[in-house]
Amino acid sequence: MRHVRCALMGATFLLGLAALPIGPATTAHAAAPIKIEVMDWFTSSSETAALRELVAKVNAAGGDWQNVTIAGFDQGVAAAQSAAAGGNPPTALQFNGGKQFDDLAERGLLNTIDGVAAEQDWTKVLPPALGASISRDGHYYGVPIDDHGETWMYTSSAAFKKAGVAVPTTWDAFFPAMDKLKAAGITPIAWGGQDWQEFGAFYTVLLSKEGPDLYNAVFRDKKIDAVNSAAFKDAVDTFGKMRAYVDAGSPNRNWNDATAMLIKGTGGVQFMGDFAKGEFTVAHMKEGQDYGCYLGLGANDHYFMMSTDVLIMPKGKGADRIAAQDLLAKVAMSKDAQLAFNNAKGGVPARLDIDSTKLDPCARKGYEALKVPGNQLAGPEMVLSADLMGSLTDVVTRFWSSPTMTSDQFIEKFAAAIKDADD
């Protein structure tokens, strides 16, 4: 998630190797395994399954992975920043690709991964926007372990069958279909009521209904006239209309709990990043039979809005630190590890030179779209500063939770947030 934001668990905890049933490091290596301590925020069922795949690959290559999991995205980012600045950080820290680790790079607290990147030709195999999100001034600082599509629409086959209505493929058909679901006693939109999820739903509507030119003008280029356009207001109106199709229990709901509504057939659709697909996989559900996956809705359903989880390598103590970081980077960006990790987690490989027949149908659909350069879009976290991202998220979630706020008032606040930003 996108940045992949995990369920806020309310407390911080450590997840040691005992909780990751991977087994000891391989005995095929004569030398002692290299200790690799990684701090991440992977906590959902699919995330931990994916992490086990990566741990196994790293340990098989001579590593001794020791995991430190922080529950919750915001807590995870804060803990990682604190660890990097504290003088003796873990071998690697999870961040999202983009501007999250700008401060650490600017303060000289990170090691580069240029050697591994050159050896594996990252410049050639990564989408340019993704490569830019992990590099600064020509140096690579992050290892992308996935590429997540941000704007997927998932559907519950059981819910649509019960309502006797076809899955909508256009925005004109969307709300009539939601009415049918509602009449059948189904929650039409399984809504994750956390600010980052509401922000994601908003830019999903903006892209899929109004197209990539307006999305880029607003988020990448920060053009105020685009925010004040009729098309932007149409997206705001559409987003606001969706309030009538969520349930009373949606506030503060975790994304995976919203996915569970589709799995149970009590929810109709969910707008979410493709990490949600991992929950269907864990539940042994089949795409096309038990659930549907659509890269957006309508005429713009072929654009792949990217986000990526990355591992950055902080400077610190220990003679083996660089060797451990290089080993981790090399394995994490290998084709085998990228396939294993993303088949479990729900994303697609960050590198574009992998055989797509080894991906599941949903991932293959996204990956083939991603391989077309004109379909690649940098997600908000790749192009916005943390401060502006937070300000815009606040505007969106206040609008969502304030039905009396008009679209014009929303637009005024959205434009003001962009004008007030430093970036």
Side-chain angles (χ1 to χ4, degrees), residues 233-245:
K233 185 176 180 181
D234 181 64
V236 177
D237 289 342
T238 301
F239 179 68
K241 188 175 180 180
M242 294 166 73
R243 293 191 194 98
Y245 298 93

Side-chain angles (χ1 to χ4, degrees), residues 65 85 158 201 265 287 365:
W65 185 300
E287 186 275 335
K365 185 187 303 183

Side-chain angles (χ1 to χ4, degrees), residues 25 48 60 83 90 112 135 165-166 192 212 251 261 263 305 313 394 405 422:
T48 53
T112 73
S135 59
V165 62
M261 294 172 66
I263 292 172
M305 185 188 292
M313 309 300 182
D394 287 344
M405 183 186 294
D422 293 331

